[in-house]
């Protein structure tokens, strides 16, 4: 993020603190609870959002060397991401071209992928290299039997994969997809971060409720009274939409330490948490000292279940016990806050939505990022009643 933007945001934050205000939506808005409970709505989300948009599958630091790879299944498509001998990252269907077995599992570094069923062997660029007892496949053109590729773009240390091949073929224009955020993400130097750990979490709630919980700080002083509330100015956020994506800046109380300093010395990141929604399913959190991503996927066919990856990326290699303890504590605290405070509340909401008690959820003017995210998703799936001002 450039200096001018940082200073402008900090000026806004100080002005809000002094006036006891926050960024506001134009109006209160209302979202039909069917956005969270309707199976047809979920089917459209699965078919469109999780197939036809680039998804953030990870950071480049997870596959730094040729042969490094990982698999990912949560979109519903078995995906293999691997770095080739030429240093390029590629994505494939993790599906053997013989009879469809998975050719890779988990993550690691290897020279090729050997299907565990009959031993067909694929190179790092997806090419079919070997068929045991090949004489029994007369006429088979190996060149036409490589792993089926998927679109992948690597940009600013991020790996974007689209789980289907669209009209653009294997190209993803990540710069265009990120729009104005492209320059902002370039400035974070993500390529220099190190992957610490990824945890998989499954909860009984609609996938969008996971994202909702990051999109307002109205709840901090109540739900998080005894945990993170003392660190933040509750009910204060700076919101900016970026096309499909959005940014929400949450000022920390430590911001007060910057008040007496000349603007040229102001520093945004140590005194704010910066939350992005990278459409459709990633919450990217720039924390004071690390990067955290929450990548959320619905369980196919289940409106009230989702699985997410929580990834921690840290600025320095974790190569000592004390560093490991530090990050372990940090990750445990994050998980405790979200899993023991946010998600139980959200699971209650999911059951409440299903109960028929009300037709709409109501978003206050002080929840502008939340209303924007819900409207963006609704519009992307062609919802006829996107969140609006008519209850
Ligand atoms: S299914 Fe992969 S080698 Fe047979
Ligand atoms: Fe929360």
């Amino acid at each position: 993020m450039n200096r001018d933007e940082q200073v402008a945001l900090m000026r806004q934050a100080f002005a809000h603190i002094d006036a006891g205000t926050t960024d506001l939506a134009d109006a209160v808005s209302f979202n039909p609870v069917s956005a969270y409970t309707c199976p047809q709505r979920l089917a459209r989300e699965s078919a469109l959002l999780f197939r036809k948009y680039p998804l953030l599958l990870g950071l480049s630091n997870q596959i730094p060397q040729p042969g490094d790879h990982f698999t990912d299944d949560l979109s519903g498509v078995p995906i293999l991401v691997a770095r080739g001998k030429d240093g390029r990252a590629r994505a494939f269907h993790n599906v053997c071209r013989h009879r469809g077995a998975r050719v890779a599992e988990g993550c690691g570094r290897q020279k090729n992928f050997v299907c565990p069923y009959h031993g067909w062997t694929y190179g790092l660029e997806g090419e079919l290299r070997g068929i045991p007892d090949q004489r029994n496949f007369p006429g088979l053109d190996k060149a036409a039997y490589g792993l089926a590729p998927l679109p992948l773009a690597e940009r600013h240390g991020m790996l974007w994969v689209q789980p289907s091949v669209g009209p653009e073929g294997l190209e993803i224009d990540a710069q265009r997809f990120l729009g104005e955020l492209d320059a902002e993400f370039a400035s974070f130097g993500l390529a220099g971060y190190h992957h610490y750990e990824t945890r998989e979490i499954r909860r009984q709630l609609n996938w969008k409720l996971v994202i909702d919980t990051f999109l307002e700080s109205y709840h901090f002083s109540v739900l998080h009274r005894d945990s993170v509330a003392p660190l933040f100015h509750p009910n204060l956020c700076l919101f900016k939409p970026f096309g499909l994506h959005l940014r929400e800046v949450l000022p920390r109380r430590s911001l007060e330490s910057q008040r007496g300093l000349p603007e040229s010395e102001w520093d945004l990141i140590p005194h704010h948490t910066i939350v992005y929604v990278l459409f459709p399913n990633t919450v990217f959190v720039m924390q004071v000292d690390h990067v955290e991503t929450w990548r959320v996927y619905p369980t196919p066919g289940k409106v009230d279940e989702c699985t997410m990856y929580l990834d921690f990326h840290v600025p320095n290699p974790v190569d000592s016990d004390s560093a490991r303890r530090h990050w372990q504590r940090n990750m445990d605290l994050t998980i405790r806050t979200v899993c023991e405070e946010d998600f139980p509340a959200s699971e209650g909401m999911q059951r409440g939505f299903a109960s028929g008690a009300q037709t709409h959820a109501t978003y206050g003017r002080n929840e502008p990022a939340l209303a924007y995210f819900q409207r963006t998703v609704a519009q992307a799936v062609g919802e006829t009643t996107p969140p609006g001002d008519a209850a």
Side-chain angles (χ1 to χ4, degrees):
M1 192 188 298
N2 69 44
R3 263 303 314 144
D4 290 350
E5 180 84 348
Q6 294 190 36
V7 169
L9 284 165
M10 289 176 72
R11 281 195 203 135
Q12 286 171 42
F14 282 129
H16 277 316
I17 292 165
D18 293 341
T21 52
T22 179
D23 279 5
L24 296 173
D26 290 340
V28 173
S29 60
F30 304 91
N31 194 15
V33 297
S34 58
Y36 300 94
T37 60
C38 171
Q40 288 78 28
R41 167 70 181 263
L42 180 73
R44 288 207 302 283
E45 291 172 349
S46 298
L48 290 168
L49 307 183
F50 293 91
R51 284 290 180 284
K52 302 200 182 299
Y53 286 84
L55 306 176
L56 183 70
L57 247 59
L59 296 193
S60 304
N61 62 24
Q62 292 168 248
I63 50 167
Q65 299 293 331
D68 289 347
H69 65 280
F70 63 83
T71 61
D72 193 311
D73 296 282
L74 291 188
S75 69
V77 174
I79 297 172
L80 166 62
V81 177
R83 193 171 299 282
K85 283 209 277 287
D86 56 359
R88 242 184 81 190
R90 293 178 180 79
F92 309 100
H93 287 266
N94 185 12
V95 177
C96 178
R97 296 295 307 281
H98 175 216
R99 282 171 49 206
R102 295 165 66 81
V103 300
E105 234 23 281
C107 59
R109 182 175 300 167
Q110 52 200 59
K111 289 199 174 69
N112 47 37
F113 300 105
V114 182
C115 179
Y117 206 165
H118 312 90
W120 284 30
T121 300
Y122 301 87
L124 298 174
E125 275 103 67
E127 75 281 14
L128 177 59
R129 304 182 75 146
I131 300 179
D133 200 13
Q134 193 179 341
R135 69 203 154 140
N136 285 312
F137 295 86
L140 185 146
D141 175 12
K142 277 208 266 184
Y145 271 73
L147 295 174
L150 286 167
L152 177 144
E154 184 168 31
R155 188 165 177 82
H156 307 319
M158 306 166 98
L159 294 164
W160 297 92
V161 176
Q162 190 170 294
S164 69
V165 181
E168 318 271 292
L170 293 175
E171 294 304 311
I172 294 175
D173 188 342
Q175 183 178 7
R176 199 182 67 194
F177 183 63
L178 283 169
E180 253 191 277
L181 281 182
D182 187 65
E184 202 152 309
F185 275 86
S187 75
F188 290 143
L190 296 174
Y193 277 73
H194 302 261
H195 178 237
Y196 171 62
E197 195 182 333
T198 294
R199 297 222 194 143
E200 197 175 314
I201 302 165
R202 176 165 298 179
R203 299 296 294 221
Q204 304 305 308
L205 63 159
N206 185 272
W207 68 277
K208 297 186 296 299
L209 277 172
V210 173
I211 297 178
D212 289 359
T213 203
F214 290 93
L215 297 186
E216 40 85 13
S217 57
Y218 180 34
H219 72 283
F220 280 19
S221 58
V222 183
L223 189 66
H224 301 315
R225 191 187 55 205
D226 301 321
S227 53
V228 296
L231 299 176
F232 289 90
H233 286 283
N235 205 14
L236 166 50
C237 75
L238 307 173
F239 163 65
K240 184 170 175 186
F242 289 87
L244 293 168
H245 318 291
L246 66 87
R247 182 185 72 202
E248 174 203 41
V249 176
L250 304 171
R252 293 172 162 257
R253 291 202 188 267
S254 66
L255 177 59
E256 293 304 320
S257 67
Q258 305 283 289
R259 261 197 206 266
L261 299 177
E263 287 186 355
S264 59
E265 290 177 28
W266 281 2
D267 202 355
L268 182 87
I269 290 179
H271 305 291
H272 296 78
T273 291
I274 311 175
V275 177
Y276 298 89
V277 173
L278 298 175
F279 190 85
N281 70 328
T282 294
V283 179
F284 183 105
V285 190
M286 197 73 207
Q287 295 282 17
V288 173
D289 56 353
H290 69 281
V291 166
E292 198 179 295
T293 56
W294 297 80
R295 300 178 291 116
V296 194
Y297 296 84
T299 300
K302 283 194 177 180
V303 292
D304 56 357
E305 188 178 284
C306 67
T307 306
M308 72 206 83
Y309 292 120
L310 165 61
D311 316 277
F312 258 48
H313 300 273
V314 302
N316 298 304
V318 180
D319 49 15
S320 70
D321 284 348
S322 70
R324 247 184 301 280
R325 273 197 302 275
H326 169 81
W327 289 114
Q328 202 59 44
R329 268 199 308 274
N330 207 315
M331 199 165 195
D332 287 345
L333 176 67
T334 302
I335 290 184
R336 211 162 44 241
T337 306
V338 176
C339 289
E340 293 180 13
E341 296 180 4
D342 290 285
F343 291 163
S346 305
E347 286 175 338
M349 290 158 69
Q350 184 69 42
R351 291 191 295 273
F353 288 154
S355 75
Q358 58 185 0
T359 56
H360 292 75
T362 303
Y363 303 142
R365 291 189 65 199
N366 57 346
E367 303 175 284
L370 169 56
Y372 188 81
F373 169 64
Q374 288 295 331
R375 204 162 44 240
T376 309
V377 170
Q379 284 165 351
V381 298
E383 189 56 68
T384 49
T385 52
D389 49 11

